[in-house]
């Protein structure tokens, strides 16, 4: 019973922390061309409505091109992954009493450190207009998230289930935007 209450407290705390970092409160009403880009991205995700909400909450203007959307979403995915590592280190591992939970949280900590590294590299590559490297690094980050997802039992409701979902969704949005950006920049650069 104590283990169950302790895990519920950990789950509630982490979910509240994670949700508080999702900036859903102030969204931009995108103009038609921007909405078209967002729709193109979000149609390729697992949850169109959440994707749209996440993207519009990151925009500072009703008009944004694909480069801007790629940049803000890559940065958001990086921030969210970094926050997830902190939550694992500061809350989950120190408070886990179950050996199975500790093993999962430790594996996810390692995986998310790699996610952060790859997303940092992707962001740097994007800023340097190296979109091929950016896409490769985003895909590697998604692979590392999957390492944690595979270790996490969806039916055992630890905070990693929610974290994996949102980090994967934001990283996937950034990756899709990057895939759209890369071909559009390489074709526009050719004579």
């Amino acid at each position: 019973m104590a283990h169950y209450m302790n895990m519920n407290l950990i789950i509630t705390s982490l979910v509240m922390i994670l949700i508080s970092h999702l900036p859903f409160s102030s969204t931009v009403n995108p103009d038609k061309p921007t909405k078209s880009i967002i729709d193109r991205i979000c149609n390729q995700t697992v949850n169109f409505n959440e994707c749209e909400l996440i993207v519009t909450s990151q925009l500072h203007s009703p008009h944004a091109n694909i480069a801007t959307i790629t940049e803000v979403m890559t940065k958001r995915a990086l921030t969210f992954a970094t926050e997830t590592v902190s939550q694992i280190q500061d809350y989950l591992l120190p408070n886990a009493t179950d050996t199975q939970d500790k093993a999962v949280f430790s594996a996810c900590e390692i995986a998310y450190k790699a996610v952060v590294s790859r997303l940092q590299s992707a962001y740097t590559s994007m800023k340097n207009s190296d979109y091929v490297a950016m896409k490769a690094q985003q895909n590697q980050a998604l692979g590392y998230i999957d390492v944690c997802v595979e270790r996490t039992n969806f039916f055992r409701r630890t905070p990693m289930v929610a974290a994996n979902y949102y980090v994967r969704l934001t990283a996937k949005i950034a990756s899709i935007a990057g895939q759209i950006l890369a071909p559009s920049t390489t074709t526009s650069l050719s004579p």
Side-chain angles (χ1 to χ4, degrees), residues 17-94:
I17 291 165
L18 293 173
I19 290 173
S20 71
H21 286 74
L22 292 174
F24 292 142
S25 58
S26 61
T27 60
V28 167
N29 188 13
D31 61 17
K32 198 170 192 167
T34 304
K35 176 77 168 106
S36 177
I37 295 169
I38 294 170
D39 288 351
R40 183 174 173 195
I41 293 167
C42 292
N43 277 325
Q44 299 178 58
T45 66
V46 296
N47 190 323
F48 180 89
N49 292 331
E50 277 189 86
C51 171
E52 185 177 56
L53 193 57
I54 290 170
V55 174
T56 58
S57 72
Q58 297 303 303
L59 300 178
H60 301 293
S61 165
H63 178 73
N65 60 23
I66 189 62
T68 300
I69 293 171
T70 303
E71 179 177 354
V72 298
M73 290 312 303
T74 302
K75 188 172 183 179
R76 182 62 194 143
L78 173 58
T79 300
F80 204 23
T82 302
E83 291 166 354
T84 300
V85 171
S86 293
Q87 298 310 317
I88 292 169
Q89 293 172 335
D90 297 343
Y91 296 101
L92 295 179
L93 279 170

Side-chain angles (χ1 to χ4, degrees), residues 2 11 21 26 41 45 51-52 66 91 94 102 104 108 121 123 131 145 152 156 167 172 176 179 183:
I11 290 171
H21 286 74
S26 61
I41 293 167
T45 66
C51 171
E52 185 177 56
I66 189 62
Y91 296 101
K102 284 183 181 182
V104 169
C108 288
S121 296
Y123 189 74
Y131 302 116
I145 294 168
T152 305
R156 184 180 169 93
V167 175
K172 185 68 174 173
I176 294 166
Q179 290 170 6

Side-chain angles (χ1 to χ4, degrees), residues 102-172:
K102 284 183 181 182
V104 169
F105 299 153
S106 292
C108 288
E109 177 188 22
I110 294 166
Y112 273 99
K113 284 180 178 180
V115 171
V116 168
S117 174
R118 293 298 88 217
L119 289 175
Q120 286 171 332
S121 296
Y123 189 74
T124 300
S125 294
M126 184 205 56
K127 291 302 243 175
N128 293 328
S129 300
D130 185 354
Y131 302 116
V132 172
M134 176 196 69
K135 284 179 8 182
Q137 292 152 351
Q138 288 170 330
N139 287 336
Q140 288 174 356
L142 286 166
Y144 287 120
I145 294 168
D146 287 344
V147 168
C148 183
V149 169
E150 290 168 6
R151 291 295 306 264
T152 305
N153 181 346
F154 181 79
F155 298 103
R156 184 180 169 93
R157 302 303 291 181
T158 70
M160 289 315 305
V161 174
N164 287 337
Y165 174 78
Y166 283 106
V167 175
R168 189 170 207 319
L169 181 59
T170 56
K172 185 68 174 173

Side-chain angles (χ1 to χ4, degrees), residues 181-191:
L181 174 64
S184 66
T185 55
T186 55
T187 55
S188 65
L189 296 175
S190 57

